[in-house]
Amino acid sequence: MDKFVTRHRKRSAVEADEWKTEETFKKYKEECEVEEEFSHPIPWQKIEAEGLDCDYSLLFDKEEADHLFNQLEEEVEYFTGDQAKLQVYGKSYSAPRKQATYGDEGLMYSFSGVHLLAKPWTPTLERIRDAVTRATGHSFNFVLINRYNDGHDHIGEHRDDEQELDPACPIASVTLGAARDFIFRHKDARTGSSKRQIEPVKLELAHGSLLLMNYPTNTYWYHSLPVRKKVKMPRINLTFRRIVKNRQKTGIKIE
Ligand SMILES: O=C(O)CCC(=O)C(=O)O
């Protein structure tokens, strides 16, 4: 098969306030999509579970991934000082990783009461974003960058389910650097007396890889990048997103 499908939306997500159920969302998506070819076919691996729909592939070969990693090390400016702190249950903590946000002009990243304006795209971020667009047919206006210095750096369980994210656009997660375990846990398998036995979904995200988290994955599943003390090398993760501009209110919640 050498034809792939590009999905373009014909109307804005803002009009879709009626998205209350999966049925209405699916119907809306079908109405909105048109098919055409695009030019960067890559083999995808489907990852599915109850309410989880992901696609995984290697987007960049080692040489290109090494180059992109080195370029990002020169270009990306990470938050420092108060902007690098997390507020969890009213207390301020240093994030166990470095973070930065880039994107289209005026887009805001809101996180634990702190509002951070996206910096303008750098040449390397544009190059990666465009490669993701060619591979998926989706366009992105924002990227959150997490840099993990080694296996002590991590991110706790959370969902990327903010209302300003366009659900018709997957969250596209690019990994450069050390391979790390990435774990999904169903929301009903976490805590409480009604806890269900649903196996977690564990992946290893490789250097140069692309993971697409499609709707409704972030409705039902939490994800995390746990501590792995044996990992000595740094890793940069870029999550490309599409933010609906006049829905911006809240940011990523880390629990
Ligand atoms: O570094 C990763 O792979 C995970 C990043 C993440 O969970 C996020 O950006 O929401």
Side-chain angles (χ1 to χ4, degrees):
M1 187 175 97
D2 55 11
K3 285 193 177 175
F4 285 69
V5 173
T6 302
R7 294 183 161 87
H8 288 302
R9 313 215 28 233
K10 284 182 182 159
R11 54 182 174 154
S12 102
V14 185
E15 293 169 61
D17 279 333
E18 73 276 17
W19 288 345
K20 295 282 186 269
T21 66
E22 263 174 67
E23 279 76 36
T24 52
F25 175 80
K26 272 189 195 149
K27 194 161 168 286
Y28 172 77
K29 248 182 112 185
E30 280 162 17
E31 281 171 13
C32 291
E33 288 169 3
V34 288
E35 292 193 0
E36 64 183 57
E37 287 174 49
F38 70 98
S39 62
H40 191 76
I42 51 173
W44 292 101
Q45 183 191 338
K46 194 75 181 160
I47 300 156
E48 285 176 303
E50 177 189 321
L52 182 142
D53 177 355
C54 292
D55 296 284
Y56 179 79
S57 186
L58 279 181
L59 181 61
F60 302 113
D61 63 23
K62 184 179 179 316
E63 191 184 348
E64 194 170 6
D66 287 349
H67 174 72
L68 293 169
F69 180 92
N70 292 333
Q71 291 296 115
L72 291 180
E73 288 290 73
E74 285 177 21
E75 287 173 24
V76 176
E77 291 171 25
Y78 293 94
F79 297 125
T80 56
D82 282 349
Q83 288 191 317
K85 296 249 191 291
L86 301 177
Q87 301 288 330
V88 184
Y89 300 117
K91 284 191 176 172
S92 178
Y93 297 91
S94 292
R97 61 190 174 279
K98 290 206 274 184
Q99 290 188 304
T101 52
Y102 286 79
D104 290 359
E105 195 181 342
L107 285 183
M108 188 78 88
Y109 169 73
S110 303
F111 175 54
S112 294
V114 185
H115 303 286
L116 304 166
L117 208 56
K119 295 187 179 85
W121 296 102
T122 70
T124 305
L125 289 173
E126 279 179 336
R127 188 168 151 195
I128 301 171
R129 179 201 62 197
D130 293 349
V132 175
T133 292
R134 281 196 301 279
T136 64
H138 291 280
S139 60
F140 303 88
N141 59 11
F142 184 86
V143 63
L144 168 66
I145 306 175
N146 283 294
R147 186 186 186 282
Y148 307 86
N149 198 43
D150 58 25
H152 291 271
D153 280 359
H154 61 279
I155 190 162
E157 273 192 340
H158 66 284
R159 287 179 291 183
D160 297 341
D161 61 349
E162 290 68 36
Q163 64 155 14
E164 70 266 38
L165 292 175
D166 182 345
C169 182
I171 294 178
S173 168
V174 173
T175 287
L176 297 168
R180 290 284 295 263
D181 292 341
F182 184 82
I183 300 181
F184 284 106
R185 204 143 63 104
H186 195 283
K187 67 181 180 62
D188 296 343
R190 295 178 82 223
T191 50
S193 51
S194 58
K195 192 169 150 178
R196 293 171 61 206
Q197 288 296 317
I198 306 174
E199 284 302 304
V201 175
K202 298 181 184 173
L203 310 174
E204 188 189 57
L205 302 181
H207 186 36
S209 69
L210 169 60
L211 173 73
L212 296 183
M213 290 185 263
N214 304 305
Y215 181 87
T217 305
N218 270 292
T219 307
Y220 299 109
W221 292 78
Y222 285 72
H223 58 265
S224 66
L225 190 94
V227 169
R228 290 289 181 260
K229 289 181 184 156
K230 289 184 181 154
V231 176
K232 305 291 177 206
M233 301 299 287
R235 169 178 183 270
I236 298 174
N237 175 258
L238 308 103
T239 44
F240 292 91
R241 299 151 191 259
R242 186 154 68 222
I243 290 179
V244 180
K245 286 192 180 149
N246 48 3
R247 281 193 173 189
Q248 293 177 88
K249 248 192 242 149
T250 59
I252 286 117
K253 292 182 286 235
I254 311 287
E255 296 178 2

